[in-house]
Amino acid sequence: MARVTEKLFRPDTPLNFLAASGETLEVASRQSVVLLGPPGSGKTSLVRAQAEINGLTAIETGNLLKQEIRHGTPLGRQIKVYTDVGALVPPALISRVISAELESLRDDLILFDGFPRSFEQIGLFFQLLKNWQLDLSAVLVLTLDLPTAIERLGKRRVCARCGTLYNLNSKPPQRAGECDQCEGKLIQRKDDTAAVITERLKSYESETVPVIEYFQANFKPLVWEAPS
């Protein structure tokens, strides 16, 4: 399988490709990377920051689904039927959302942020790789304990207008309650309370950990774990 060079994925620095190291991304063909981790592990913030530096393209499945709903598209209305009742969005709808995003991309390195989320989505993931001629190069897993997750997410704020993420401790806005990018209002997500965070971590254990175990069993050389 064509893959990213060994220099890019050294065992001692599994997140090297996301670091501002100045190293050049060398790829032989179009590659895909999976990034998994529990709520609060900083997946999305990490990806967004480093995408600007290294030029990789991130597929943020959750945000893409929310975007369809926010724009009121026909597809978004179908998705909303499920999200309004807390049900998982069917694979067919997820496939349409991700495929539409991949169709517009021509980059050589695509990172899937938090996808596949559940064991049931693994088949869909590999079908998408096949359809868009992507090789799997790495599965990066961030780890995090419950107290740290509660602390981080409890301080998280998001711009209601553009979605930029902040943390009142580690990445506060220049002006309290206001987005640095668009001056939109910063809000706390309803699911960033201690009780909800605990439940979200339980869901991660039951839904996403089996995905990690699958990759460890079938693609062990490609899997790296690191504390976030």
Side-chain angles (χ1 to χ4, degrees):
M1 181 196 315
R3 59 188 174 84
V4 177
T5 60
E6 290 298 332
K7 183 179 75 169
L8 187 58
F9 291 114
R10 293 196 303 270
D12 58 329
T13 54
L15 295 179
N16 172 51
F17 84 108
L18 288 178
S21 61
E23 292 192 24
T24 301
L25 299 181
E26 300 179 26
V27 294
S29 64
R30 298 190 75 200
Q31 307 292 309
S32 67
V33 175
V34 173
L35 178 61
L36 300 172
S41 59
K43 300 188 306 301
T44 301
S45 296
L46 179 66
V47 168
R48 290 180 181 178
Q50 299 306 323
E52 297 179 2
I53 296 173
N54 286 324
L56 62 87
T57 295
I59 302 292
E60 301 178 31
T61 306
N63 285 332
L64 290 176
L65 295 174
K66 292 174 184 176
Q67 182 175 294
E68 291 289 338
I69 295 174
R70 187 166 60 249
H71 291 168
T73 66
L75 181 56
R77 289 193 289 272
Q78 293 182 58
I79 294 170
K80 192 173 185 294
V81 170
Y82 296 92
T83 59
D84 279 353
V85 296
L88 292 177
V89 178
L93 298 182
I94 295 176
S95 179
R96 289 173 60 186
V97 170
I98 296 179
S99 293
E101 186 73 4
L102 288 171
E103 186 174 13
S104 66
L105 302 177
R106 295 296 180 268
D107 301 284
D108 289 327
L109 183 58
I110 309 296
L111 188 144
F112 291 89
D113 177 6
F115 177 78
R117 175 184 172 184
S118 65
F119 195 85
E120 290 72 24
Q121 293 179 354
I122 293 175
L124 170 61
F125 171 71
F126 281 104
Q127 185 61 51
L128 287 168
L129 295 193
K130 180 180 179 181
N131 291 347
W132 296 97
Q133 299 180 327
L134 292 166
D135 289 331
L136 178 62
S137 294
V139 178
L140 308 179
V141 182
L142 301 181
T143 59
L144 185 69
D145 59 81
L146 177 59
T148 303
I150 292 175
E151 170 65 19
R152 286 184 185 176
L153 294 179
K155 297 294 184 179
R156 182 168 67 176
R157 299 295 184 271
V158 60
C159 176
R161 182 182 299 170
C162 71
T164 299
L165 295 174
Y166 296 87
N167 186 284
L168 299 183
N169 286 340
S170 60
K171 186 190 173 184
Q174 295 178 7
R175 297 179 183 178
E178 184 177 294
C179 178
D180 299 340
Q181 305 298 321
C182 71
E183 300 183 351
K185 180 181 179 182
L186 300 186
I187 61 173
Q188 183 177 33
R189 286 170 36 169
K190 294 179 180 180
D191 55 356
D192 280 348
T193 62
V196 177
I197 292 167
T198 300
E199 289 304 312
R200 290 173 64 195
L201 286 170
K202 288 181 180 178
S203 295
Y204 175 81
E205 290 289 331
S206 62
E207 293 180 2
T208 307
V209 168
V211 176
I212 297 171
E213 293 172 343
Y214 170 85
F215 282 120
Q216 288 173 330
N218 296 277
F219 298 90
K220 187 173 180 61
L222 302 183
V223 180
W224 282 279
E225 291 192 39
S228 63

